[in-house]
Amino acid sequence: MEFPLLNLPSLAYEKVLLNFEVADLVDFSLLSSRCHRIVRSIRFPFTGVYVGVTEHSNMIRFFLDNRQKLYPQEFGITKCDELFMWTSQHISSDELKYVFEKVQISKYLILDLQLADDFECEFVQFSMDKLKIKRPFWITNETFLAMDCVQIQLKDNGNLPIREFVSKWLSSRNTRFEWLKMEWNTHINWNEGFKTMQWNPAIRGRNFRIDSLTRLDCTEGIDFLRDDGLLATVVERNDRIYFVVWHKRFQPEADRLFSV
């Protein structure tokens, strides 16, 4: 049965729209400027979805609530530059596996999700520029060692094989990787099985630039020199471990930044 939705009183059409699926709401908001204003004025039980399209990138951010189907799979997304996903409620394994298997992300992936403690995931190939994951307990050793990202940040991670990660980089010709940051509370004897060096201020600087705001003091770090001349450093500090590569050995611009 059809009826003129916009002729209803505001409280009535709000009740109707609150039962729409997200994809239908998006379509409705595009019908006219009035429809757009109506959708913006209603407080839906999800925080929102932000889609940014510029000359240089396509960005999609999902602020999730399981009371609405606000997931990449719902929109049929298969490719984007940046994908940020947050949720305070459990997300189904099917939705997350869709992101891993179907969505090609080129620049930045952030995952801050509530997952069931028994969630498991087989091999995933992460190859975007920047990767940030909170509670990556489900990441297998194979997935971790195969990460082909420029910057990697893991929080509340399990006991992942950081020694093997460093060893693999040393035996590779990877010139893309810049740094890895992860939580770690067990001291590693890097002199065992590796050819290491102490900091020499004539070879590299003291501070490594993490981002536009922060730097890492590497004076107490352990250095590794790869066969092709690339220098890397491991720093263990405050229950965290950093593995950084000095593509630029002296970074005076980092001296003015905040120390991590």
Side-chain angles (χ1 to χ4, degrees), residues 185-202:
N185 54 20
T186 303
H187 176 69
I188 299 175
N189 181 8
W190 292 101
N191 293 317
E192 183 179 323
F194 292 94
K195 185 178 180 180
T196 64
M197 303 182 297
Q198 298 298 315
W199 175 45
N200 183 343

PDB file of all heavy atoms in Angstrom, residues 185-202:
ATOM      1  N   ASN A 185      55.904  -7.065  26.477  1.00  0.00           N
ATOM      2  CA  ASN A 185      56.365  -6.948  27.866  1.00  0.00           C
ATOM      3  C   ASN A 185      57.417  -7.985  28.234  1.00  0.00           C
ATOM      4  O   ASN A 185      57.669  -8.237  29.410  1.00  0.00           O
ATOM      5  CB  ASN A 185      55.179  -7.045  28.835  1.00  0.00           C
ATOM      6  CG  ASN A 185      54.347  -8.303  28.618  1.00  0.00           C
ATOM      7  OD1 ASN A 185      54.824  -9.273  28.033  1.00  0.00           O
ATOM      8  ND2 ASN A 185      53.112  -8.287  29.087  1.00  0.00           N
ATOM      9  N   THR A 186      58.046  -8.580  27.222  1.00  0.00           N
ATOM     10  CA  THR A 186      59.107  -9.562  27.463  1.00  0.00           C
ATOM     11  C   THR A 186      60.382  -9.099  26.777  1.00  0.00           C
ATOM     12  O   THR A 186      60.376  -8.817  25.579  1.00  0.00           O
ATOM     13  CB  THR A 186      58.708 -10.948  26.916  1.00  0.00           C
ATOM     14  OG1 THR A 186      57.473 -11.351  27.511  1.00  0.00           O
ATOM     15  CG2 THR A 186      59.792 -11.973  27.231  1.00  0.00           C
ATOM     16  N   HIS A 187      61.469  -9.021  27.536  1.00  0.00           N
ATOM     17  CA  HIS A 187      62.728  -8.566  26.945  1.00  0.00           C
ATOM     18  C   HIS A 187      63.262  -9.605  25.961  1.00  0.00           C
ATOM     19  O   HIS A 187      63.197 -10.812  26.195  1.00  0.00           O
ATOM     20  CB  HIS A 187      63.764  -8.317  28.035  1.00  0.00           C
ATOM     21  CG  HIS A 187      65.103  -7.939  27.494  1.00  0.00           C
ATOM     22  ND1 HIS A 187      65.352  -6.731  26.871  1.00  0.00           N
ATOM     23  CD2 HIS A 187      66.279  -8.636  27.451  1.00  0.00           C
ATOM     24  CE1 HIS A 187      66.611  -6.690  26.479  1.00  0.00           C
ATOM     25  NE2 HIS A 187      67.197  -7.826  26.820  1.00  0.00           N
ATOM     26  N   ILE A 188      63.787  -9.121  24.849  1.00  0.00           N
ATOM     27  CA  ILE A 188      64.346  -9.988  23.812  1.00  0.00           C
ATOM     28  C   ILE A 188      65.850  -9.767  23.739  1.00  0.00           C
ATOM     29  O   ILE A 188      66.320  -8.623  23.713  1.00  0.00           O
ATOM     30  CB  ILE A 188      63.708  -9.689  22.437  1.00  0.00           C
ATOM     31  CG1 ILE A 188      62.203  -9.953  22.480  1.00  0.00           C
ATOM     32  CG2 ILE A 188      64.364 -10.523  21.342  1.00  0.00           C
ATOM     33  CD1 ILE A 188      61.481  -9.569  21.206  1.00  0.00           C
ATOM     34  N   ASN A 189      66.601 -10.845  23.690  1.00  0.00           N
ATOM     35  CA  ASN A 189      68.049 -10.758  23.506  1.00  0.00           C
ATOM     36  C   ASN A 189      68.339 -10.708  22.007  1.00  0.00           C
ATOM     37  O   ASN A 189      68.424 -11.738  21.336  1.00  0.00           O
ATOM     38  CB  ASN A 189      68.743 -11.958  24.150  1.00  0.00           C
ATOM     39  CG  ASN A 189      70.258 -11.892  23.999  1.00  0.00           C
ATOM     40  OD1 ASN A 189      70.811 -10.885  23.538  1.00  0.00           O
ATOM     41  ND2 ASN A 189      70.942 -12.967  24.380  1.00  0.00           N
ATOM     42  N   TRP A 190      68.482  -9.498  21.485  1.00  0.00           N
ATOM     43  CA  TRP A 190      68.674  -9.329  20.046  1.00  0.00           C
ATOM     44  C   TRP A 190      70.076  -9.715  19.598  1.00  0.00           C
ATOM     45  O   TRP A 190      70.321  -9.887  18.395  1.00  0.00           O
ATOM     46  CB  TRP A 190      68.375  -7.882  19.651  1.00  0.00           C
ATOM     47  CG  TRP A 190      66.929  -7.538  19.805  1.00  0.00           C
ATOM     48  CD1 TRP A 190      66.355  -6.838  20.823  1.00  0.00           C
ATOM     49  CD2 TRP A 190      65.870  -7.911  18.920  1.00  0.00           C
ATOM     50  NE1 TRP A 190      64.994  -6.746  20.627  1.00  0.00           N
ATOM     51  CE2 TRP A 190      64.669  -7.393  19.466  1.00  0.00           C
ATOM     52  CE3 TRP A 190      65.810  -8.630  17.725  1.00  0.00           C
ATOM     53  CZ2 TRP A 190      63.431  -7.566  18.856  1.00  0.00           C
ATOM     54  CZ3 TRP A 190      64.577  -8.804  17.114  1.00  0.00           C
ATOM     55  CH2 TRP A 190      63.407  -8.279  17.672  1.00  0.00           C
ATOM     56  N   ASN A 191      71.000  -9.867  20.527  1.00  0.00           N
ATOM     57  CA  ASN A 191      72.353 -10.290  20.153  1.00  0.00           C
ATOM     58  C   ASN A 191      72.400 -11.773  19.796  1.00  0.00           C
ATOM     59  O   ASN A 191      73.371 -12.243  19.211  1.00  0.00           O
ATOM     60  CB  ASN A 191      73.323 -10.010  21.304  1.00  0.00           C
ATOM     61  CG  ASN A 191      73.502  -8.525  21.549  1.00  0.00           C
ATOM     62  OD1 ASN A 191      73.629  -7.748  20.601  1.00  0.00           O
ATOM     63  ND2 ASN A 191      73.490  -8.122  22.815  1.00  0.00           N
ATOM     64  N   GLU A 192      71.349 -12.480  20.153  1.00  0.00           N
ATOM     65  CA  GLU A 192      71.285 -13.907  19.852  1.00  0.00           C
ATOM     66  C   GLU A 192      70.644 -14.114  18.479  1.00  0.00           C
ATOM     67  O   GLU A 192      69.461 -13.877  18.282  1.00  0.00           O
ATOM     68  CB  GLU A 192      70.464 -14.629  20.926  1.00  0.00           C
ATOM     69  CG  GLU A 192      70.399 -16.136  20.745  1.00  0.00           C
ATOM     70  CD  GLU A 192      69.601 -16.805  21.844  1.00  0.00           C
ATOM     71  OE1 GLU A 192      69.698 -16.349  23.002  1.00  0.00           O
ATOM     72  OE2 GLU A 192      68.867 -17.766  21.546  1.00  0.00           O
ATOM     73  N   GLY A 193      71.446 -14.512  17.515  1.00  0.00           N
ATOM     74  CA  GLY A 193      70.939 -14.791  16.176  1.00  0.00           C
ATOM     75  C   GLY A 193      70.951 -13.607  15.234  1.00  0.00           C
ATOM     76  O   GLY A 193      70.576 -13.744  14.062  1.00  0.00           O
ATOM     77  N   PHE A 194      71.371 -12.432  15.712  1.00  0.00           N
ATOM     78  CA  PHE A 194      71.421 -11.241  14.865  1.00  0.00           C
ATOM     79  C   PHE A 194      72.785 -10.559  15.005  1.00  0.00           C
ATOM     80  O   PHE A 194      73.418 -10.619  16.063  1.00  0.00           O
ATOM     81  CB  PHE A 194      70.336 -10.235  15.266  1.00  0.00           C
ATOM     82  CG  PHE A 194      68.930 -10.689  14.990  1.00  0.00           C
ATOM     83  CD1 PHE A 194      68.188 -11.324  15.981  1.00  0.00           C
ATOM     84  CD2 PHE A 194      68.343 -10.482  13.749  1.00  0.00           C
ATOM     85  CE1 PHE A 194      66.893 -11.736  15.744  1.00  0.00           C
ATOM     86  CE2 PHE A 194      67.041 -10.893  13.503  1.00  0.00           C
ATOM     87  CZ  PHE A 194      66.315 -11.526  14.497  1.00  0.00           C
ATOM     88  N   LYS A 195      73.190  -9.898  13.941  1.00  0.00           N
ATOM     89  CA  LYS A 195      74.375  -9.052  13.988  1.00  0.00           C
ATOM     90  C   LYS A 195      73.902  -7.643  14.309  1.00  0.00           C
ATOM     91  O   LYS A 195      73.275  -6.981  13.483  1.00  0.00           O
ATOM     92  CB  LYS A 195      75.117  -9.082  12.651  1.00  0.00           C
ATOM     93  CG  LYS A 195      76.427  -8.307  12.664  1.00  0.00           C
ATOM     94  CD  LYS A 195      77.145  -8.424  11.325  1.00  0.00           C
ATOM     95  CE  LYS A 195      78.456  -7.652  11.345  1.00  0.00           C
ATOM     96  NZ  LYS A 195      79.168  -7.758  10.033  1.00  0.00           N
ATOM     97  N   THR A 196      74.183  -7.182  15.518  1.00  0.00           N
ATOM     98  CA  THR A 196      73.636  -5.916  15.994  1.00  0.00           C
ATOM     99  C   THR A 196      74.722  -4.874  16.194  1.00  0.00           C
ATOM    100  O   THR A 196      75.917  -5.183  16.251  1.00  0.00           O
ATOM    101  CB  THR A 196      72.879  -6.115  17.317  1.00  0.00           C
ATOM    102  OG1 THR A 196      73.810  -6.554  18.321  1.00  0.00           O
ATOM    103  CG2 THR A 196      71.775  -7.150  17.156  1.00  0.00           C
ATOM    104  N   MET A 197      74.277  -3.625  16.325  1.00  0.00           N
ATOM    105  CA  MET A 197      75.182  -2.508  16.595  1.00  0.00           C
ATOM    106  C   MET A 197      74.531  -1.584  17.615  1.00  0.00           C
ATOM    107  O   MET A 197      73.307  -1.475  17.672  1.00  0.00           O
ATOM    108  CB  MET A 197      75.467  -1.717  15.308  1.00  0.00           C
ATOM    109  CG  MET A 197      76.046  -2.522  14.157  1.00  0.00           C
ATOM    110  SD  MET A 197      76.388  -1.477  12.705  1.00  0.00           S
ATOM    111  CE  MET A 197      74.730  -0.913  12.302  1.00  0.00           C
ATOM    112  N   GLN A 198      75.353  -0.920  18.406  1.00  0.00           N
ATOM    113  CA  GLN A 198      74.874   0.133  19.285  1.00  0.00           C
ATOM    114  C   GLN A 198      74.782   1.437  18.495  1.00  0.00           C
ATOM    115  O   GLN A 198      75.344   1.575  17.412  1.00  0.00           O
ATOM    116  CB  GLN A 198      75.816   0.294  20.486  1.00  0.00           C
ATOM    117  CG  GLN A 198      75.920  -0.946  21.357  1.00  0.00           C
ATOM    118  CD  GLN A 198      74.591  -1.341  21.976  1.00  0.00           C
ATOM    119  OE1 GLN A 198      73.862  -0.492  22.495  1.00  0.00           O
ATOM    120  NE2 GLN A 198      74.268  -2.626  21.919  1.00  0.00           N
ATOM    121  N   TRP A 199      74.064   2.396  19.068  1.00  0.00           N
ATOM    122  CA  TRP A 199      73.887   3.672  18.379  1.00  0.00           C
ATOM    123  C   TRP A 199      75.217   4.384  18.182  1.00  0.00           C
ATOM    124  O   TRP A 199      76.002   4.552  19.110  1.00  0.00           O
ATOM    125  CB  TRP A 199      72.943   4.573  19.173  1.00  0.00           C
ATOM    126  CG  TRP A 199      72.812   5.957  18.579  1.00  0.00           C
ATOM    127  CD1 TRP A 199      72.639   6.267  17.267  1.00  0.00           C
ATOM    128  CD2 TRP A 199      72.854   7.201  19.277  1.00  0.00           C
ATOM    129  NE1 TRP A 199      72.554   7.628  17.088  1.00  0.00           N
ATOM    130  CE2 TRP A 199      72.678   8.236  18.317  1.00  0.00           C
ATOM    131  CE3 TRP A 199      73.002   7.553  20.621  1.00  0.00           C
ATOM    132  CZ2 TRP A 199      72.657   9.588  18.660  1.00  0.00           C
ATOM    133  CZ3 TRP A 199      72.980   8.899  20.963  1.00  0.00           C
ATOM    134  CH2 TRP A 199      72.809   9.899  19.992  1.00  0.00           C
ATOM    135  N   ASN A 200      75.465   4.789  16.955  1.00  0.00           N
ATOM    136  CA  ASN A 200      76.627   5.597  16.604  1.00  0.00           C
ATOM    137  C   ASN A 200      76.105   6.905  16.018  1.00  0.00           C
ATOM    138  O   ASN A 200      75.536   6.912  14.926  1.00  0.00           O
ATOM    139  CB  ASN A 200      77.503   4.868  15.587  1.00  0.00           C
ATOM    140  CG  ASN A 200      78.766   5.640  15.233  1.00  0.00           C
ATOM    141  OD1 ASN A 200      78.868   6.841  15.495  1.00  0.00           O
ATOM    142  ND2 ASN A 200      79.735   4.948  14.647  1.00  0.00           N
ATOM    143  N   PRO A 201      76.256   8.038  16.729  1.00  0.00           N
ATOM    144  CA  PRO A 201      75.706   9.309  16.245  1.00  0.00           C
ATOM    145  C   PRO A 201      76.290   9.775  14.924  1.00  0.00           C
ATOM    146  O   PRO A 201      75.741  10.678  14.292  1.00  0.00           O
ATOM    147  CB  PRO A 201      76.031  10.291  17.377  1.00  0.00           C
ATOM    148  CG  PRO A 201      77.115   9.645  18.169  1.00  0.00           C
ATOM    149  CD  PRO A 201      76.917   8.175  18.041  1.00  0.00           C
ATOM    150  N   ALA A 202      77.391   9.144  14.491  1.00  0.00           N
ATOM    151  CA  ALA A 202      77.949   9.491  13.185  1.00  0.00           C
ATOM    152  C   ALA A 202      77.231   8.761  12.054  1.00  0.00           C
ATOM    153  O   ALA A 202      77.361   9.132  10.884  1.00  0.00           O
ATOM    154  CB  ALA A 202      79.446   9.159  13.153  1.00  0.00           C
TER     155      ALA A 202
END
